[in-house]
């Protein structure tokens, strides 16, 4: 049985057997949601403390909730934490339904190995696509509510009173008629002997009545970041640990011909050289600096292959040619848009371009692996614990049950640490050569930047028709670019069509619907792949598709002689949630009021990750230097678990989006990535960050994401404001291609 097959079978079993079981250990109550054996793992095998990665915690935890006699509530969380606040949000949801004391709450990271042994009780461990809370909230809340019910029943039994006479507040249970009080910790042992309620029978709290969830609580993972005790992958120290630096052929697809290991061994601290695969080497030493110094000095001969002839100009020409190709590229066809456009009173056409972009996570790729006999352990800053688990198993040849992943908090993920697990694989391959010794493999910043899975490059030809009254009669969207699935999941592409690349243009589905109803519509995707690997980058394809759609909507509004907001509103009447955020952002930004001379506005709205967002930008432009004075956002993510963290995520999306549209792009020269470090690929500076205002407009009828939705409206809102300021559209990104720079 393959790892993937095994995981799928376990996942299906877990979904079929969605139950709650309680287990007594150490006088506390432990509850889990999902199918699991009635067992408690030994402390040394099950209690991994994410805040102390070199040792295990001191509380036995079974699945989601553990209540100790001292009232401490331990919450096991399967999602990865990389700065987005998922751990805090999920803990708030548990606290809300459990009605425990927030000040007594602690969290631990559930490991994929334990989840596998318990029939995937924690479900899948992936953290991406802004799904950390929205796909966990239901079973997490039901597990907590079940715990509350059992604890109250235990108190009722202890006092021999009806459970209806009890109330609980912050973990203190009160018998209302007599005023008697007890605590969760005192009744936990008895509660654990009771039959758990059917989770489907539990009525969860109305989010409008939340007292802990929904509040702007401070993050629970801030203190150790501030005082420097937080241990990231780069910080991890294990007894006897060695370090390694890696280098791959500078041209993707190239091969290793030869290398001078003897040369590397002359350098201080070097222990050896490991050939990881046909195109990648590692030097192992007592410190990473020693390893990297020797690796950079070691003579290596590469066969760069045919891809060494690829240039950025050639890639761009291929994309542009793709826009002119004819064929069965359509993915959404409503009426005859080309005919409607050709017969229209006025035709509007524009071609937009978005480049490759690198992730540049604050913490470069790394992983630490120790192989002892037939068992492998890895300490990994990962967005997908089960993905790392599978990669470790495949690289070592050990079965999944002989492997374990300890998830460390990541110094940024942004999509790079999810579906791609090369960093885990490389560390495992190196560690195989040093059995019994933990080996930490770290990518240099140069290696990290030149061997990324980049945001896909794309061009779009947007064409529309307007009638004599300025009403839109047809819309034709044709995108040519690289496919993420072609790199990471080619099996899902059917007949050369990849719907994922048209994210945000969907007619149906909860994640990325188009917010306009056009009289006729045609969407097409022409796949044009290169040797450069691409993958998810915060916002994935809503980034470029939001720019294509919303910048073009402004061009259409101008051609129609209409206000950009009003032009959009007329096409959004059957899309109330899209319209709601557009109106909320426009109102907050005082769209109808005059601006000071020299200041101009731009607007954009889009949907991604099941959330609706809109942005209004205010800018001024002098001598081609852009000053962004204000950004106003509206977001409807259905439910807001923590408004403080939600606004933080909006602000983070601004920094990433502005850097992407203004700062230099990733380009290909002689088949390799030209930009190697932050001197040629700088990030946004704090001084360039504008005033940011956010209005949250939850409708409490769905669960949407937060980390990625708003990034797709930043670029088009700013670009539309710039276009208004300079009197011409901007269509090429980064905007240095338009002769513009950010103040």
């Amino acid at each position: 049985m393959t790892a993937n097959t095994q995981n799928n079978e376990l996942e299906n079993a877990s979904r079929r057997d969605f139950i709650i079981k309680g287990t007594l250990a150490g006088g506390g109550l432990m509850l889990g949601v999902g199918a699991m054996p009635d067992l408690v793992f030994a402390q040394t095998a099950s209690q991994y403390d994410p805040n102390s990665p070199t040792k295990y915690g001191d509380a036995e935890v079974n699945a989601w909730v553990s209540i100790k006699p001292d009232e401490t509530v331990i919450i096991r969380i399967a999602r990865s934490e990389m700065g987005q606040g998922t751990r805090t949000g999920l803990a708030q949801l548990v606290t809300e339904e459990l009605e425990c004391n927030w000040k007594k709450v602690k969290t631990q990271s559930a490991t994929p190995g334990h989840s596998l042994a318990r029939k995937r009780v924690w479900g899948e461990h992936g953290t991406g696509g802004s799904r950390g809370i929205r796909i966990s909230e239901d079973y997490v809340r039901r597990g907590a509510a079940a715990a509350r019910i059992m604890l109250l029943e235990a108190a009722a039994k202890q006092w021999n009173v009806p459970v209806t006479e009890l109330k609980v507040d912050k973990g203190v249970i009160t018998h209302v008629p007599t005023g008697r009080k007890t605590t969760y910790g005192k009744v936990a042992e008895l509660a654990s002997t009771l039959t758990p309620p059917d989770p489907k029978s539990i009525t969860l709290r109305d989010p409008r009545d939340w007292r802990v969830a929904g509040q702007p609580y401070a993050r629970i993972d801030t203190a150790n970041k501030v005082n420097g005790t937080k241990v990231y992958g780069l910080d991890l120290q294990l007894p006897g640990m060695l370090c390694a630096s890696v280098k791959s052929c500078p041209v993707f697809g190239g091969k290793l011909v030869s290398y001078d290991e003897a040369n590397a061994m002359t350098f201080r601290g070097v222990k050896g050289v490991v050939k990881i695969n046909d195109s990648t080497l590692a030097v192992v030493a007592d410190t990473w600096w020693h390893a990297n110094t020797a690796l950079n000095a070691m003579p290596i001969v590469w066969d760069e292959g045919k891809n060494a002839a690829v240039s950025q100009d050639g890639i761009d020409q291929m994309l542009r040619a793709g826009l002119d190709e004819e064929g069965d590229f359509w993915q959404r066809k409503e009426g005859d848009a080309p005919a409607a456009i050709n017969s229209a009173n006025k035709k509007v056409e524009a071609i937009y371009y978005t480049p490759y972009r690198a992730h540049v996570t604050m913490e470069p790729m790394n992983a630490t692996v120790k192989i002892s006999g037939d068992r492998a352990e890895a300490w990994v800053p990962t967005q997908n614990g089960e993905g790392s688990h599978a990669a470790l198993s495949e690289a070592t040849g050990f079965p999944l049950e002989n492997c374990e992943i300890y998830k460390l908090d990541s110094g940024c993920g942004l999509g790079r640490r999810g579906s791609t697990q090369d960093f885990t694989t490389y560390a495992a391959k190196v560690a195989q050569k040093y059995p019994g010794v933990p080996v930490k493999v770290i990518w240099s910043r140069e290696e990290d930047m030149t061997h990324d899975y980049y945001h896909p490059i794309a061009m779009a030809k947007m064409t529309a028709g307007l009638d004599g009254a300025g009403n839109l009669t047809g819309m034709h969207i044709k995108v040519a670019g690289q496919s993420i699935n072609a790199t990471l999941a080619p099996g899902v592409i059917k007949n050369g069509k990849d719907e994922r690349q048209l994210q945000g243009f969907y007619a149906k589905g909860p994640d990325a619907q188009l917010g306009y109803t056009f009289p006729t519509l045609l969407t097409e995707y022409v796949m044009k792949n290169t040797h450069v690997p691409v993958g998810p980058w915060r916002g994935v394809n809503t980034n470029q598709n939001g720019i294509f759609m919303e910048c073009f909507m402004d061009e259409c509004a101008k051609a129609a002689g209409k206000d950009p907001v009003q032009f959009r509103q007329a096409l959004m009447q059957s899309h109330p949630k899209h319209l709601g955020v557009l109106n909320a952002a426009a109102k907050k930004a005082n769209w109808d009021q005059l601006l000071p001379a020299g200041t101009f506005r731009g607007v954009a709205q889009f949907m991604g990750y099941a959330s609706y967002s809109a942005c209004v930008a205010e800018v001024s432009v002098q001598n081609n230097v852009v000053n962004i004075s204000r950004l106003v956002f509206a977001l409807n993510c259905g439910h807001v678990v923590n408004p403080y963290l939600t606004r933080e995520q909006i602000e983070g999306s601004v920094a990433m989006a502005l850097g992407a549209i203004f700062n230099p792009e990733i380009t290909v020269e002689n088949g390799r990535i030209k930009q190697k470090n932050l001197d040629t690929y700088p990030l946004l500076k704090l001084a360039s960050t504008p005033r940011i205002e956010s209005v949250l407009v939850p409708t409490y009828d769905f669960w949407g994401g937060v980390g990625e939705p708003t990034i797709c409206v930043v670029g088009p809102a700013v670009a539309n404001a710039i276009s208004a300021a300079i009197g011409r559209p901007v269509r090429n990104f980064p905007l240095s291609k338009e002769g513009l720079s950010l103040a």
Side-chain angles (χ1 to χ4, degrees), residues 93 133-134 137 141 210 609-610 637-639 641 701-705:
L93 289 173
I133 288 178
R134 64 183 169 118
E137 54 81 20
R141 290 193 293 154
W210 281 347
Y609 307 95
C637 54
H639 301 283
V641 174
D701 56 343
F702 69 98
W703 285 84

Side-chain angles (χ1 to χ4, degrees), residues 529-719:
N529 296 320
T530 75
H531 72 300
V532 178
V534 295
W537 184 98
R538 189 178 184 179
V540 195
N541 297 303
T542 62
N543 287 303
Q544 70 268 23
N545 292 339
I547 286 175
F548 302 155
M549 187 76 255
E550 290 302 294
C551 286
F552 189 61
M553 288 298 287
D554 255 40
E555 293 202 42
C556 290
K558 184 176 181 179
K562 297 184 178 182
D563 174 82
V565 169
Q566 293 176 359
F567 183 78
R568 288 172 169 83
Q569 289 170 334
L571 296 163
M572 299 173 69
Q573 296 306 307
S574 59
H575 304 274
K577 288 186 171 66
H578 290 85
L579 183 59
V581 292
L582 175 68
N583 291 340
K587 181 179 179 180
K588 178 74 172 178
N590 300 314
W591 181 266
D592 294 328
Q593 295 183 15
L594 292 176
L595 286 168
T599 302
F600 298 84
R601 289 193 185 102
V603 66
Q605 72 80 30
F606 213 61
M607 181 189 181
Y609 307 95
S611 289
Y612 307 80
S613 60
C615 177
V616 174
E618 295 181 7
V619 313
S620 59
V621 183
Q622 288 187 329
N623 300 320
N624 291 325
V625 177
V626 179
N627 183 281
I628 307 172
S629 56
R630 185 187 186 202
L631 291 175
V632 177
F633 291 89
L635 176 68
N636 180 5
C637 54
H639 301 283
V640 177
V641 174
N642 187 313
Y644 169 70
L645 296 178
T646 300
R647 291 189 171 94
E648 269 194 340
Q649 286 299 291
I650 292 173
E651 292 163 4
S653 75
V654 169
M656 198 162 179
L658 290 182
I661 67 170
F662 280 102
N663 289 342
E665 62 194 304
I666 289 293
T667 58
V668 178
E669 184 177 75
N670 298 323
R672 67 201 71 210
I673 301 302
K674 184 177 179 180
Q675 293 72 27
K676 296 182 178 180
N677 211 316
L678 298 178
D679 58 336
T680 53
Y681 192 79
L683 303 181
L684 186 76
K685 294 181 173 61
L686 184 61
S688 298
T689 306
R691 171 186 169 191
I692 302 170
E693 301 171 41
S694 303
V695 53
L696 307 179
V697 288
T699 51
Y700 302 103
D701 56 343
F702 69 98
W703 285 84
V706 169
E708 294 170 280
T710 54
I711 195 171
C712 64
V713 293
V714 178
V718 170

Side-chain angles (χ1 to χ4, degrees), residues 1-3 6-7 113 116 373-377 388-405:
M1 178 182 292
T2 66
Q6 188 175 12
N7 280 345
L116 180 69
D374 63 352
R375 180 169 177 79
E377 298 175 284
S388 297
H389 195 208
L392 183 63
S393 173
E394 182 177 3
T396 59
F398 298 157
L400 285 170
E401 56 267 27
N402 287 24
C403 300
E404 185 57 286
I405 299 291

